[in-house]
Amino acid sequence: MLRIATYNGTTDELVQFVNHVWSHSYADKMTFPCWTADFFEWQFRLSCDSERKNLIAAYDESVLAGVLLGTSYPIQSLAGRFLGSHWSWLSVHPDYRNRGIAKALDQERILRQHHSGTRLIASYRYVGSNHSQAERPHSRQPNRKFNRKIGFWARVLDPDRFAKWHWSRVEGILGKLAAPFMRIPPDIQRECPVREFSLADLDACVQLVRDAVSSLVLSLDWDSEMLRHQLCGHSISQTLVVEEAGRVTGFVNYHLIPFRAKTIEKVAVIDLIVLGSTSSRNRLRLLNNALARMCEQGAVLALKVRCGDAPVWPLLRAHFIPQAADSMLVLQSVGTELEIPSSAPIHLLWR
């Protein structure tokens, strides 16, 4: 007898289950992330969040059959400030498919989000491969949920390994041919203004990110606790800041996740690029220092979701390339309908 309940297992068991389901569906077919215990601990705070209200599971007696996972965030939009959430990681075990589990998990999600006062659910649907099992927009669904198509800014870090990893032979060859132009220049200045984030920088970073997203039609509404967890809530999250005239004027925050394509390689996922009033020269130094560190840590590629929250020119100067929009951003209202323009810049994380 299938039942929907709060996930009650360990972090390692959850990671193993999600990766097993995704590997069964996508291995040797398309590129996908291989989630880690560090990432799940960071995102879901499993060691300290006893409620686990956003970790929903389907059980067949004691056997885990499916999960749908989310994280709550305060949101700022044209409609004001409200509680929102980001959901992903829908995983149904192959033995339990076509039994309505995904629908049941979604219904439980809506019920829980309504009770918690959440007004908006954000999620992505990857549509860049025919093998993707993600939901597509069609006539039976309200089109308002599918807000826009979204892609990435991509920066190749190790052309040789990237070529062996990537599914597309053409993209791999282009990456290798571009290698001489993609070299990350060393920072040979004696006094480099770029350094690691420290907790003493938190207030400055909060103000910088709030200023950066203040004019957007939809954004995460960062406060001190939320940004502290993002920047230093776990060792998986890494942040570099840049200083000018004795004050922090910009920062870059990222984490590394293994991605499986033809092989498994680390990819650096950039969550925040906040440059504030940083000079043009030091913006590039900050980005290049971050890219150099990613490369040293074994990443073959750096990705930043392309939603209009980062300035274009510094990314182009650092040799980021805009990729085709291959995901759908789904914005689902809970209760009263929220109208979010489909073309204006926004700020959300990629999960």
Side-chain angles (χ1 to χ4, degrees):
M1 181 70 177
L2 289 170
R3 61 185 175 89
I4 304 299
T6 299
Y7 175 72
N8 60 20
T10 67
T11 303
D12 288 339
E13 290 167 342
L14 183 59
V15 169
Q16 184 178 13
F17 178 83
V18 173
N19 284 337
H20 170 74
V21 172
W22 288 33
S23 293
H24 179 274
S25 300
Y26 303 130
D28 302 321
K29 297 176 183 176
M30 58 179 256
T31 303
F32 62 96
C34 303
W35 304 105
T36 66
D38 282 346
F39 181 87
F40 275 13
E41 282 286 352
W42 177 46
Q43 287 300 288
F44 305 129
R45 309 189 192 199
L46 287 167
S47 60
C48 60
D49 185 358
S50 58
E51 293 185 11
R52 298 188 175 194
K53 61 184 179 181
N54 289 340
L55 307 184
I56 305 174
Y59 288 98
D60 182 2
E61 295 184 352
S62 61
V63 176
L64 184 61
V67 295
L68 181 60
L69 313 174
T71 306
S72 294
Y73 291 107
I75 298 288
Q76 180 67 40
S77 81
L78 298 176
R81 190 179 190 272
F82 51 83
L83 183 63
S85 58
H86 184 96
W87 290 74
S88 185
W89 305 284
L90 172 63
S91 307
V92 177
H93 193 281
D95 294 344
Y96 290 93
R97 290 179 180 170
N98 301 314
R99 295 176 60 175
I101 288 179
K103 182 177 180 180
L105 290 170
D106 178 59
Q107 290 174 339
E108 179 68 14
R109 168 177 63 177
I110 296 298
L111 181 64
R112 293 189 182 196
Q113 296 299 280
H114 178 75
H115 286 164
S116 68
T118 298
R119 294 193 60 191
L120 187 70
I121 296 171
S123 56
Y124 296 99
R125 307 287 192 273
Y126 177 65
V127 296
S129 168
N130 291 331
H131 298 292
S132 173
Q133 297 177 8
E135 170 189 35
R136 265 79 166 176
H138 53 73
S139 59
R140 290 175 296 170
Q141 299 164 337
N143 289 332
R144 60 179 171 79
K145 287 173 54 178
F146 290 82
N147 181 266
R148 69 187 70 191
K149 293 191 78 173
I150 276 187
F152 284 99
W153 288 101
R155 203 322 183 157
V156 175
L157 300 173
D158 190 320
D160 289 334
R161 285 167 49 220
F162 173 81
K164 296 174 183 176
W165 169 79
H166 201 284
W167 281 111
S168 170
R169 185 169 178 267
V170 173
E171 291 238 11
I173 291 173
L174 290 175
K176 293 184 72 171
L177 290 175
F181 307 99
M182 304 293 279
R183 185 180 64 88
I184 302 168
D187 198 326
I188 58 176
Q189 301 296 321
R190 290 185 178 180
E191 295 183 5
C192 179
V194 178
R195 59 169 174 80
E196 290 190 28
F197 168 86
S198 72
L199 199 54
D201 303 321
L202 181 60
D203 289 344
C205 290
V206 170
Q207 190 59 55
L208 284 168
V209 72
R210 291 182 68 85
D211 289 345
V213 303
S214 62
S215 63
L216 304 183
V217 300
L218 179 72
S219 70
L220 302 184
D221 191 15
W222 296 95
D223 58 24
S224 292
E225 170 53 29
M226 182 176 161
L227 193 64
R228 185 205 64 78
H229 183 75
Q230 173 68 31
L231 301 187
C232 57
H234 195 285
S235 58
I236 191 175
S237 179
Q238 303 184 59
T239 306
L240 293 180
V241 302
V242 59
E243 276 189 317
E244 291 184 337
R247 64 186 183 91
V248 173
T249 59
F251 66 96
V252 171
N253 170 252
Y254 71 94
H255 57 276
L256 300 182
I257 287 287
F259 272 67
R260 180 169 176 173
K262 288 191 293 185
T263 59
I264 297 177
E265 292 284 4
K266 292 179 183 178
V267 171
V269 177
I270 302 173
D271 280 336
L272 289 162
I273 297 177
V274 180
L275 301 178
S277 61
T278 307
S279 66
S280 175
R281 177 169 171 266
N282 283 334
R283 288 183 173 197
L284 188 58
R285 293 177 76 182
L286 173 62
L287 289 174
N288 282 335
N289 271 271
L291 293 172
R293 173 177 287 203
M294 297 168 194
C295 193
E296 290 171 358
Q297 293 169 343
V300 299
L301 181 70
L303 295 174
K304 168 69 177 75
V305 68
R306 187 158 48 88
C307 55
D309 63 345
V312 171
W313 181 236
L315 290 170
L316 292 175
R317 289 187 66 198
H319 302 297
F320 280 82
I321 299 172
Q323 303 296 290
D326 55 11
S327 295
M328 296 294 302
L329 172 63
V330 178
L331 299 177
Q332 184 172 352
S333 300
V334 180
T336 306
E337 178 66 21
L338 290 167
E339 293 293 336
I340 307 296
S342 60
S343 57
I346 60 174
H347 165 64
L348 294 174
L349 305 183
W350 180 82
R351 297 289 184 263

